[in-house]
Amino acid sequence: GNSVTQMEGPVTLSEEAFLTINCTYTATGYPSLFWYVQYPGEGLQLLLKATKADDKGSNKGFEATYRKETTSFHLEKGSVQVSDSAVYFCALSGDYKLSFGAGTTVTVRA
Amino acid sequence: SAVISQKPSRDICQRGTSLTIQCQVDSQVTMMFWYRQQPGQSLTLIATANQGSEATYESGFVIDKFPISRPNLTFSTLTVSNMSPEDSSIYLCSVEMGALGDTQYFGPGTRLTVL
């Protein structure tokens, strides 16, 4: 079946640091891949998506590239801010549903 | 995307009681989903709710415990029945949209505490 493995947290960074959250997946076929973000006390927001190999999703300074050869979809941001403190979830779409990773808690300190 | 609202936003309930959570979307959608997020955990799909048919439940979730209604293309309810403290979670609804029909957008969630 489909599954997503995410880098374990928590991750603590200083402002303006570089952020990478690793995500790898196992799936049949060609799933779409997603990153969702959950800010404290809120629901999930779609951060970015990619629908086919070599696609790059980007939003709010975050980027992730769909790498079929390494079955990965790592999330990156070049310079984080305190407002990026949140839980980040990697997910894939397949079998008519979303499969989520465990989530990575990111804390950015001023 | 879509604007999705949920009611209530949070509630504190006594064990043995039931709570019905409402999910309203500002546009017509075919697929709606209900998830549970236990404290500090990821999301687990409870069921898929399609208008005009019975909800489809995931392994480990049953209709008697989590009855779902889907009376039209913009609204759904999830009831958490005969609650126990283990049901304390965030319950989220989502809808499927996008050109490929594979992107889900989530409501703000309902934070349930069972005493």
Side-chain angles (χ1 to χ4, degrees), chain B residues 28-91:
Chain B
Q28 293 185 338
V29 294
T30 301
M31 306 282 281
M32 295 182 77
F33 305 84
W34 287 98
Y35 290 83
R36 181 176 72 184
Q37 186 180 23
Q38 295 177 299
Q41 301 296 312
S42 187
L43 280 74
T44 301
L45 180 63
I46 297 171
T48 302
N50 295 331
Q51 194 266 339
S53 63
E54 295 269 338
T56 302
Y57 289 83
E58 296 297 302
S59 175
F61 297 96
V62 295
I63 187 171
D64 289 346
K65 176 66 175 178
F66 297 101
I68 288 170
S69 77
R70 182 79 201 275
N72 57 52
L73 291 174
T74 63
F75 186 80
S76 178
T77 66
L78 169 75
T79 298
V80 186
S81 303
N82 188 24
M83 290 185 285
S84 67
E86 292 70 36
D87 294 318
S88 297
S89 296
I90 301 173
Y91 292 86

Side-chain angles (χ1 to χ4, degrees), chain A residues 4 16 39 48 50 56 62 64 72 92 110:
Chain A
V4 176
E16 300 183 2
Y39 298 105
L48 53 84
K56 177 185 284 188
F62 290 90
S72 64
L92 72 83

Side-chain angles (χ1 to χ4, degrees), chain A residues 21-58:
Chain A
I21 304 176
N22 290 340
C23 171
T24 58
Y25 67 90
T26 302
T28 55
Y30 303 97
S32 294
L33 301 174
F34 307 86
W35 278 100
Y36 286 87
V37 58
Q38 186 174 34
Y39 298 105
E42 299 185 11
L44 264 69
Q45 298 179 23
L46 178 64
L47 182 59
L48 53 84
K49 64 179 279 189
T51 58
K52 62 183 186 296
D54 300 325
D55 264 3
K56 177 185 284 188
S58 60

